């Protein structure tokens, strides 16, 4: 439904599955014959029109990531679009993203019908309203505690102690935006660490917290 109106940005905390979902959407579009494939790029804070529209090359105009994907009929998956300053990165392409032709040094360009950007971000995009409205914001909800606990157990495998240790950390979601991926990484870490040098549940919980959960939470008060 969101794609019917244009481009999409999947919003949610780090590790909640946004990139996996974005790639699955692009793959489904290719399998349905709606695109010629997909291109994955990761946004950077320094992005400008030179990166998205294009820049002069040694002999000819070099297309940027957005225009190049559209010309090739490939859907563009932009990971972590929120890192970029939206108007600086995509401002020159606002009309283009709406389907209108734009004049470029190598000729007029217009995106093919049905071409889409599927982006990810940890928060709603910030920029001029005309540009932000090009993206439908779809929020990726975290799983319930019971579902997360089952996923942690699966990631820990046969090590029930490691699974129990990481399940202790689920309440950390009340402190900050900890995505599912961080808990699954913590469970795999705890299982491998326990296999290498057996430890009690509390020790595994503290080490998993330090290794994978606390860094995501960032600085905390007392």
């Amino acid at each position: 439904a969101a794609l019917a109106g244009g481009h999409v940005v999947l919003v949610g905390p780090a590790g909640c599955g946004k990139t996996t979902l974005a790639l699955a959407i692009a793959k489904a579009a290719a399998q349905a014959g709606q695109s010629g494939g997909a291109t994955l790029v990761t946004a950077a804070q320094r992005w400008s029109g030179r990166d998205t529209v294009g820049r002069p090359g040694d002999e000819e105009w070099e297309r940027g990531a957005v225009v190049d994907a559209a010309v090739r009929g490939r859907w563009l998956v932009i990971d972590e679009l929120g890192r970029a300053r939206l108007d600086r990165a995509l401002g020159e392409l606002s009309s283009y993203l709406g389907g209108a032709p734009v004049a470029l040094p190598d000729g007029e360009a217009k995106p093919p019908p049905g071409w889409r950007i599927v982006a990810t971000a940890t928060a709603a995009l910030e920029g001029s309203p005309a540009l932000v409205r090009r993206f439908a914001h779809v929020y990726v909800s975290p799983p319930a505690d019971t579902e997360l606990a089952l996923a942690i157990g699966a990631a820990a495998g046969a090590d029930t102690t490691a699974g129990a240790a990481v399940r202790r950390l689920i309440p950390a979601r009340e402190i900050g935006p900890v995505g599912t991926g961080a808990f699954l990484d913590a469970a795999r870490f705890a299982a491998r660490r326990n296999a290498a040098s057996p430890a009690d549940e509390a020790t595994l919980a503290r080490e998993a917290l330090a290794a994978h959960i606390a860094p995501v939470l960032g600085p905390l008060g007392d």
Side-chain angles (χ1 to χ4, degrees):
L3 288 167
H7 311 289
V8 167
V9 57
L10 305 175
V11 182
C16 71
K18 302 184 300 296
T19 305
T20 300
L21 179 56
L23 290 170
I25 292 169
K27 181 179 179 180
Q31 291 176 336
Q34 296 181 21
S35 74
T39 299
L40 171 66
V41 297
T42 301
Q45 187 177 13
R46 59 171 177 76
W47 258 18
S48 69
R50 291 172 60 85
D51 302 288
T52 58
V53 181
R55 69 186 74 191
D58 294 335
E59 298 181 0
E60 59 185 15
W61 177 258
E62 295 180 358
R63 293 192 295 259
V66 176
V67 174
D68 182 66
V71 168
R72 296 164 61 194
R74 297 174 64 86
W75 281 26
L76 183 63
V77 177
I78 304 180
D79 203 22
E80 300 296 339
L81 181 55
R83 291 179 179 176
R85 292 162 56 187
L86 196 65
D87 284 272
R88 180 183 178 187
L90 298 176
E92 297 177 53
L93 292 172
S94 181
S95 298
Y96 186 80
L97 296 180
V102 296
L104 298 175
D106 61 345
E108 186 176 83
K110 181 180 180 180
W115 175 76
R116 295 289 185 264
I117 291 175
V118 182
T120 71
T122 56
L125 298 179
E126 296 182 2
S128 61
L131 186 54
V132 172
R133 67 174 289 269
R134 301 298 183 194
F135 294 86
H137 286 59
V138 177
Y139 292 85
V140 182
S141 302
D145 286 356
T146 53
E147 295 173 335
L148 179 57
L150 290 174
I152 289 171
D159 192 331
T160 56
T161 303
V166 177
R167 283 194 290 272
R168 288 189 178 201
L169 308 179
I170 291 178
R173 298 200 294 179
E174 300 174 11
I175 302 173
V178 186
T180 305
F183 288 102
L184 302 187
D185 289 341
R188 287 187 282 266
F189 161 82
R192 290 168 182 162
R193 183 260 188 265
N194 202 29
S197 178
D200 60 79
E201 184 180 310
T203 298
L204 292 176
R206 285 194 297 271
E207 294 185 3
L209 173 67
H212 290 284
I213 306 301
V216 179
L217 292 172
L220 299 175
D222 293 339

